[in-house]
Amino acid sequence: MAVKSKEKSSSSQASLTSRATASSSKREQKPSDVKENKSKSRSTSLESAAEQSLQAMESMKRFNKMYAAADVWGTEMANLDAEIPYDLRPMFRSLTTKPMFAASKFSDLWYAIKHNTSNWMKNSYSMFVMAKANAFPGRNIKLRIRTLGRILSVRNNSPDALLAPLRQLALDTYRRVNTSIARGHEDTVKEFTSSSFQQKTIKAMRRREKGDTWVWSITSDVSDAALFPKSKKRKAPTPVEIVSVRAGEVYTENADPVHGHRLLIQALVKFDTTHKIDIVDKRGQAVSSDLTSSRKVVQYLLLEKVGWYDTPWKIKDQFHKV
């Protein structure tokens, strides 16, 4: 019995010693060591996150090779950060109205200038990316020094501008979609629209009175003379104006795409036109409503082109000016 008690006391004494050494080691640990451990754990977590993202991209590429029929790039693309620029002219004029030179007016003006400058810089960079990939519709562009001057002006309305063919294409798409909406041609609407804009449009088409015939038309001037005015001092707005453009290389497969290029391009287009809709009911009589009279319509529509597909430009979304 005495031997057992000695063993117990010695073991308890050993456990106490181990605890004491552990606590003393904790006390002796310096704050610098703690910081180093934290920084090491953070760097390890960042490295693991980067490795996981790389593994995900590699697995997506392997999946595309293993299953050629599957299209991993066919997912719906999110809206890029296209923006409606501020009109600075009324903001400058408001400085001289009562209350004159108010501090709030200056702060609003400064915010609008910064917003427009940021949008211009993003536009210029996106056009540089498009020029590098030769992705301008209706243009064969080689990136040279003289090309750099042409990418700095998105809102250039001359027929020689880099985006001039895109403005004409946007007007043609706008006409085709609105005509198809009026006639009830869902297949054409699905071909030239996408995303939420397509869903809302088709839902509105199906709510219409069945048997009525709609005819949509633009009554304002949308000729080449109005679309590409010769005078730069023309005060009247053009019917089609690209106010923001974004482009980025989204297709990251090693091999080049079969069609087109690697870019996703989105252009925010302002349409300033006058519309008229003629409605005839089942009995062949004209229906009078607010839609049948000519009215001015200003819309900001986001057009998208997925570069690696042989598909047309599509109306993806509608923006509203605040």
Side-chain angles (χ1 to χ4, degrees):
M1 294 293 291
V3 175
K4 287 182 181 178
S5 63
K6 282 179 184 178
E7 286 177 357
K8 284 181 182 177
S9 61
S10 61
S11 63
S12 61
Q13 196 172 9
S15 65
L16 286 169
T17 332
S18 63
R19 286 176 191 172
T21 52
S23 62
S24 62
S25 65
K26 285 182 182 177
R27 287 193 204 100
E28 289 171 1
Q29 194 174 9
K30 296 179 182 178
S32 60
D33 298 335
V34 177
K35 288 181 181 179
E36 286 178 3
N37 292 334
K38 286 183 179 179
S39 62
K40 284 180 182 178
S41 63
R42 285 175 185 171
S43 63
T44 308
S45 62
L46 287 172
E47 287 174 1
S48 62
E51 286 177 3
Q52 287 176 4
S53 61
L54 287 172
Q55 287 174 4
M57 290 182 68
E58 290 296 330
S59 62
M60 190 165 62
K61 291 178 181 179
R62 284 197 300 270
F63 182 84
N64 199 19
K65 290 177 182 178
M66 290 171 64
Y67 304 98
D71 184 12
V72 297
W73 304 104
T75 57
E76 184 179 328
M77 300 296 170
N79 287 359
L80 303 179
D81 59 341
E83 302 167 316
I84 301 175
Y86 285 92
D87 189 358
L88 300 179
R89 290 170 296 181
M91 301 182 78
F92 275 109
R93 287 196 294 266
S94 69
L95 294 176
T96 56
T97 59
K98 293 183 179 180
M100 294 180 65
F101 304 109
S104 59
K105 293 182 180 180
F106 280 106
S107 62
D108 291 343
L109 179 60
W110 177 241
Y111 176 83
I113 291 173
K114 289 193 297 182
H115 178 275
N116 288 4
T117 305
S118 172
N119 184 46
W120 171 77
M121 292 175 69
K122 292 175 182 178
N123 289 343
S124 302
Y125 177 75
S126 296
M127 290 183 67
F128 171 78
V129 172
M130 291 171 67
K132 190 177 177 181
N134 194 16
F136 285 96
R139 294 278 190 246
N140 186 14
I141 299 298
K142 293 182 180 179
L143 191 58
R144 296 173 180 172
I145 295 176
R146 61 182 179 183
T147 311
L148 297 177
R150 301 177 68 187
I151 68 175
L152 297 177
S153 180
V154 172
R155 305 177 77 172
N156 185 356
N157 293 330
S158 70
D160 299 327
L162 292 177
L163 294 175
L166 180 55
R167 292 175 62 222
Q168 183 64 61
L169 188 150
L171 178 60
D172 296 340
T173 304
Y174 185 69
R175 274 174 157 169
R176 185 173 298 188
V177 169
N178 280 284
T179 302
S180 301
I181 292 170
R183 295 177 180 175
H185 296 168
E186 284 192 13
D187 292 339
T188 308
V189 172
K190 289 178 180 178
E191 183 182 359
F192 291 93
T193 62
S194 66
S195 192
S196 59
F197 185 86
Q198 182 185 109
Q199 297 168 8
K200 293 176 184 177
T201 302
I202 292 177
K203 195 177 288 184
M205 289 169 63
R206 292 174 180 174
R207 284 201 302 263
R208 280 196 331 225
E209 188 71 26
K210 293 183 178 179
D212 290 355
T213 303
W214 287 33
V215 178
W216 175 88
S217 59
I218 294 179
T219 58
S220 57
D221 185 11
V222 290
S223 62
D224 290 346
L227 197 62
F228 307 108
K230 293 181 180 179
S231 175
K232 294 182 179 179
K233 296 180 180 180
R234 185 174 180 267
K235 293 183 180 180
T238 59
V240 180
E241 184 181 10
I242 297 175
V243 298
S244 186
V245 63
R246 299 290 185 268
E249 188 173 311
V250 176
Y251 189 89
T252 57
E253 188 69 37
N254 290 331
D256 290 334
V258 179
H259 299 285
H261 48 78
R262 297 173 177 268
L263 302 185
L264 173 71
I265 306 172
Q266 293 180 357
L268 185 59
V269 186
K270 177 185 176 183
F271 296 92
D272 189 353
T273 55
T274 305
H275 296 184
K276 183 183 179 183
I277 298 176
D278 297 321
I279 305 174
V280 179
D281 61 12
K282 301 175 184 178
R283 296 166 293 181
Q285 297 181 352
V287 178
S288 60
S289 68
D290 295 337
L291 298 174
T292 56
S293 58
S294 296
R295 55 178 184 155
K296 183 182 175 66
V297 178
V298 178
Q299 288 179 291
Y300 291 88
L301 299 180
L302 185 70
L303 273 73
E304 180 183 75
K305 173 60 180 171
V306 181
W308 54 94
Y309 285 130
D310 189 16
T311 52
W313 284 76
K314 298 185 179 186
I315 299 177
K316 179 180 174 63
D317 203 354
Q318 179 172 359
F319 287 27
H320 299 278
K321 194 171 183 178
V322 180

